[in-house]
Amino acid sequence: MTQPATPAQQDAPMPAAKSVPGQGGPRRPRGLRLDVRNLSLLGVLAVLVAVGGVTRPDEFLATSNLQLVLTQASVIGVVTVGMTFVITGGGIDLSVGAIVALASVWATTVATQEFGFAGILFTAVIVGVGCGLVNGLLIAYGRMVPFIATLAMLASARGLALQITDGKTQIVTVDSVLDLGIRDAFILGIPPLVLVFAAVTVIGWLVLGRTTFGRRTVAVGGNAEAARLAGIDVRRQRLYLYLLSGLCCGIAAFMLIVLAGSGQNTNGNLYELDAIAAAIIGGTLLTGGRGTIVGSVLGVLVFTTITNIFALNNLESAVQQIAKGAIIVAAVLVQHRSLRGSGEG
């Protein structure tokens, strides 16, 4: 019979893991894998910039065009930050585009505009947070599948946005809101919306990677039952994640109002797909438990740059969508292979 371990043997440190021949060798640290992925995305972005510079040097490299690219990336970028948290926590949010539309039209009604800048901003944010609250309650406490709950919100929010506008564009007449979109409002040549995007990105990066909230998000996404046994209130954490996603949608809705100078029920069309795609190619694991704000932002910049290059070269939008689809498929395959190689998949 096997002899019981002595106290000295029980306290002895475990030996370091060794690579096993024929089984993939030593595992790379997770941080190193993410850094390699981010560097790869930076390389892709550099190639795209070179392509744009070669095909349309005068237009693409113009300061005004680069400002436009960053501004367009800012709106979907803020939504993507919220989406990254949700996916990292093991959820999904298909309603972000519809929430942006609903918040933008609710904030640009005649009654709301009477309250000026503060009224528009407050309404956009509170509508976004309200929708996120409904999603969170249904998923966390109603135990609905995230896909179904957010799909229902997508349909409901789109329908309500259409009812509010009656299919018409609502023009913004508040000068203090419109002034944020003009060149005179730029700070050191940087559009205000880009600064907002940068602030949201930094805050998201700090929260996800440097706070207890971020660690709980990763734990819930990785293994909800283990997180519960560790003392984490899983339902409350999931509620917070959808509240955060709704907040980001409200901010994005206000940014879109500034950018377009109006509110429309068609705003935010396909934002959910763009946000999910940007997060995935950035390194966020679709099944939860791993997320990176920096990678998601780089994914947004890659997609926005592709769109800009295609537009400048008068290429069909269908080809653009095919290119985006190919990038998403390649990113998922690389992600899956990386997980298998590291022993996580």
Side-chain angles (χ1 to χ4, degrees), residues 33-263:
R33 293 199 303 271
L34 293 179
D35 288 341
V36 170
R37 182 182 293 276
N38 290 341
L39 289 174
S40 300
L41 286 174
L42 282 173
V44 172
L45 191 58
V47 170
L48 290 174
V49 171
V51 170
V54 170
T55 57
R56 293 287 180 177
D58 296 334
E59 296 93 339
F60 181 79
L61 297 178
T63 302
S64 58
N65 185 63
L66 297 179
Q67 291 171 335
L68 175 62
V69 171
L70 291 175
T71 301
Q72 292 175 337
S74 297
V75 180
I76 184 62
V78 171
V79 175
T80 302
V81 170
M83 182 69 78
T84 301
F85 275 90
V86 170
I87 296 178
T88 302
I92 197 73
D93 193 347
L94 301 179
S95 64
V96 290
I99 294 175
V100 169
L102 178 59
S104 69
V105 300
W106 207 324
T108 54
T109 59
V110 175
T112 303
Q113 293 193 51
E114 291 179 356
F115 294 93
F117 183 99
I120 293 177
L121 175 59
F122 175 79
T123 302
V125 171
I126 203 67
V127 169
V129 172
C131 292
L133 175 63
V134 173
N135 279 337
L137 290 175
L138 290 175
I139 294 167
Y141 295 94
R143 300 186 182 279
M144 288 187 67
V145 177
F147 182 92
I148 299 300
T150 58
L151 184 62
M153 175 59 73
L154 183 156
S156 301
R158 283 288 178 194
L160 185 54
L162 179 60
Q163 185 177 34
I164 291 175
T165 62
D166 195 24
K168 301 176 183 177
T169 299
Q170 298 179 162
I171 305 299
V172 176
T173 59
V174 180
D175 292 336
S176 56
V177 173
L178 298 175
D179 289 345
L180 291 176
I182 64 177
R183 186 168 298 276
D184 291 341
F186 290 8
I187 301 174
L188 299 178
I190 303 176
L193 299 187
V194 177
L195 296 177
V196 172
F197 176 36
V200 171
T201 298
V202 171
I203 293 172
W205 176 76
L206 290 174
V207 171
L208 185 59
R210 298 290 188 272
T211 67
T212 301
F213 181 87
R215 290 190 290 272
R216 288 176 177 172
T217 298
V218 173
V220 169
N223 190 323
E225 181 62 20
R228 186 187 65 81
L229 294 175
I232 297 175
D233 191 331
V234 175
R235 292 188 296 179
R236 184 172 62 185
Q237 186 68 22
R238 285 174 174 163
L239 173 62
Y240 288 161
L241 291 175
Y242 284 94
L243 282 172
L244 179 58
S245 178
L247 173 62
C248 289
C249 289
I251 296 173
F254 180 77
M255 296 169 68
L256 196 57
I257 291 170
V258 172
L259 188 61
S262 64

